[in-house]
Amino acid sequence: NASLLGILQHPDGTVLKQLQPPPRGPREQEFYNKVYDSDCCNSILLELREYLPKYFGVWSPPTAPNDTYLKLEDVTRKFNKPCIMDVKIGQKSYDPYASAEKIQQQVSKYPLMEEIGFLVLGMRVYHVSSDSYETQNQHYGRSLTKETVKDGISKFFHNGYCLRKDAIAASIQKIEKILEWFEGQKQLNFYASSLLFVYEGLCQATTVQLSDVTVAEKRGVPKGLLPGGDILEYNNNIHVINSTENGKIEASVSKGLSKFYALHKKAYSKRHHSQLKVENLEQDNVWKSSTCITQEHLNGNVIPQLEKVFCHMPAEIKESANVEVRMIDFAHVFPSNAKDEGYIYGLKNLITVLQNILDS
């Protein structure tokens, strides 16, 4: 199934992103090669690395040597309950070489792009009270207007108990660093590129608030077996996949490959995190090391006072909030001799919206 182009999650902490068909895939590969070239001495590109997932070259499965994957850092890996949002940035989501038809298609998908400068492609938010994720796909983002975009974005930072102002403040700081980079460079223009936001959904304050069962205790490891005897763990993006759905996925990736990697379904049309599955019991211990609950969660060393202050702490204290903001998706990056005004406009507008959420 060609539309089911997956991102595979490797136990070594990387993800594998299948190269898109030409010219997009080769262009993205070329971009990563240029930025991560070991001989690179361009200070603009060297600084850009800070805002990207780390790149580990390309990889092909032994069983399908013609399939090429970009090997990238898994930005969500260090999180217990990662809350993830993918936001496309810029005023145009088509590049300067797009056909009239392509331009029309892109503009009709979200006519407000020019005016708002960004578009939410998907989000996945951890709700503490139910110990479950709420997911929104691209249709959610496209339904947002100038009037509703503030509430639409604030949904990403609300965990069912409170608005995570710490995560908003930290996100603003990180976007501001990326904005500074854009203000200082005239080498590259980015179209249809995204920012990936990740913050820790399992905040200790809310662990305290649950009187009956703490979230930490709820997180069973492991959580059950599939009919085929495959171990499943609820970690990061892992969910139970029913066997019929699983059969479809397995058919789309060679058998040899699926034994070693968790398949993370990600169609380019539906760019939001969905389900993945861990196979192969030998790999289980590798996953366990990143999934097992830290002792501090279990022995109750959570400061009860935290509960009162967590959602209202001043931004200074929370500067170190567990938040990642990374640039991703570079199939439409082009050399330039001018500032990327469309991307800059989008970043500034996004900062304004986040600041408004923070101030209200």
Side-chain angles (χ1 to χ4, degrees):
N1 179 352
S3 70
L4 197 72
L5 293 161
I7 279 197
L8 300 167
Q9 209 168 20
H10 189 296
D12 69 4
T14 62
V15 291
L16 298 168
K17 178 183 178 180
Q18 189 162 23
L19 220 57
Q20 297 175 63
R24 293 172 301 165
R27 203 187 288 129
E28 182 163 38
Q29 183 183 348
E30 191 187 340
F31 169 81
Y32 275 114
N33 284 339
K34 184 176 170 179
V35 174
Y36 283 93
D37 186 337
S38 54
D39 298 329
C40 177
C41 52
N42 177 329
S43 61
I44 300 279
L45 297 185
L46 290 172
E47 194 199 329
L48 179 59
R49 292 179 185 178
E50 285 177 48
Y51 312 120
L52 270 48
K54 289 190 187 73
Y55 172 62
F56 303 98
V58 292
W59 180 87
S60 294
T63 48
N66 296 329
D67 290 353
T68 306
Y69 293 82
L70 299 170
K71 204 168 195 288
L72 301 165
E73 171 189 7
D74 178 3
V75 180
T76 69
R77 184 178 170 86
K78 68 177 182 184
F79 297 88
N80 249 308
K81 297 287 184 183
C83 298
I84 303 161
M85 178 169 66
D86 183 334
V87 183
K88 190 191 279 190
I89 306 289
Q91 289 178 283
K92 296 181 169 69
S93 52
Y94 52 88
D95 67 47
Y97 305 96
S99 64
E101 188 186 10
K102 178 72 176 173
I103 293 172
Q104 181 50 46
Q105 178 215 13
Q106 285 298 321
V107 171
S108 64
K109 272 189 185 173
Y110 194 59
L112 290 169
M113 198 74 182
E114 194 82 35
E115 206 172 346
I116 294 179
F118 63 84
L119 167 63
V120 176
L121 293 176
M123 65 171 73
R124 183 167 175 279
V125 187
Y126 179 66
H127 281 203
V128 185
S129 44
S130 58
D131 187 23
S132 64
Y133 285 99
E134 184 183 348
T135 305
Q136 302 293 345
N137 66 15
Q138 54 175 346
H139 301 293
Y140 173 80
R142 284 198 231 148
S143 71
L144 299 176
T145 64
K146 276 184 303 194
E147 292 70 40
T148 60
V149 71
K150 180 183 154 189
D151 289 342
I153 293 266
S154 69
K155 194 179 185 74
F156 175 60
F157 295 99
H158 207 288
N159 64 9
Y161 278 126
C162 69
L163 186 65
R164 288 286 304 276
K165 291 198 167 189
D166 59 312
I168 300 172
S171 296
I172 292 171
Q173 288 177 334
K174 303 226 169 194
I175 302 169
E176 279 171 344
K177 293 284 291 172
I178 294 171
L179 176 59
E180 266 176 52
W181 181 84
F182 271 90
E183 292 282 18
Q185 71 91 20
K186 292 181 172 183
Q187 298 180 19
L188 296 169
N189 280 4
F190 295 75
Y191 302 91
S193 186
S194 287
L195 285 184
L196 186 72
F197 290 79
V198 192
Y199 72 87
E200 180 54 72
L202 189 71
C203 59
Q204 290 189 311
T206 43
T207 308
V208 178
Q209 285 172 345
L210 295 174
S211 49
D212 52 348
V213 189
T214 69
V215 175
E217 283 162 356
K218 271 194 198 172
R219 299 178 60 240
V221 182
K223 255 294 182 28
L225 292 161
L226 274 190
D230 299 291
I231 284 266
L232 275 221
E233 293 185 3
Y234 285 71
N235 171 47
N236 292 14
N237 314 318
I238 300 167
H239 260 305
V240 180
I241 296 174
N242 67 47
S243 43
T244 53
E245 194 179 358
N246 183 44
K248 270 187 254 159
I249 297 167
E250 267 188 7
S252 73
V253 174
S254 70
K255 268 290 188 211
L257 183 64
S258 59
K259 278 206 181 74
F260 289 97
Y261 299 102
L263 180 62
H264 174 166
K265 281 169 42 188
K266 184 175 179 186
Y268 288 111
S269 57
K270 300 196 188 66
R271 307 200 40 266
H272 63 282
H273 284 66
S274 51
Q275 301 142 320
L276 53 84
K277 166 172 181 279
V278 180
E279 294 196 48
N280 188 9
L281 294 154
E282 286 97 270
Q283 295 299 343
D284 192 41
N285 57 344
V286 186
W287 286 95
K288 281 253 175 70
S289 61
S290 68
T291 62
C292 59
I293 303 151
T294 55
Q295 204 48 47
E296 66 188 298
H297 277 128
L298 291 179
N299 61 19
N301 289 347
V302 186
I303 309 159
Q305 287 85 333
L306 212 56
E307 180 177 5
K308 303 189 189 77
V309 300
F310 190 83
C311 296
H312 308 285
M313 275 193 281
E316 307 84 71
I317 300 172
K318 296 175 298 198
E319 195 177 7
S320 62
N322 209 353
V323 174
E324 286 284 357
V325 179
R326 304 287 185 95
M327 296 168 64
I328 57 166
D329 293 342
F330 307 112
H332 303 273
V333 179
F334 294 90
S336 168
N337 48 23
K339 273 199 218 179
D340 191 340
E341 296 297 353
Y343 200 109
I344 288 171
Y345 175 90
L347 290 180
K348 286 182 172 172
N349 222 13
L350 183 53
I351 290 169
T352 302
V353 170
L354 291 170
Q355 195 60 56
N356 288 340
I357 297 169
L358 207 50
D359 296 341
S360 59

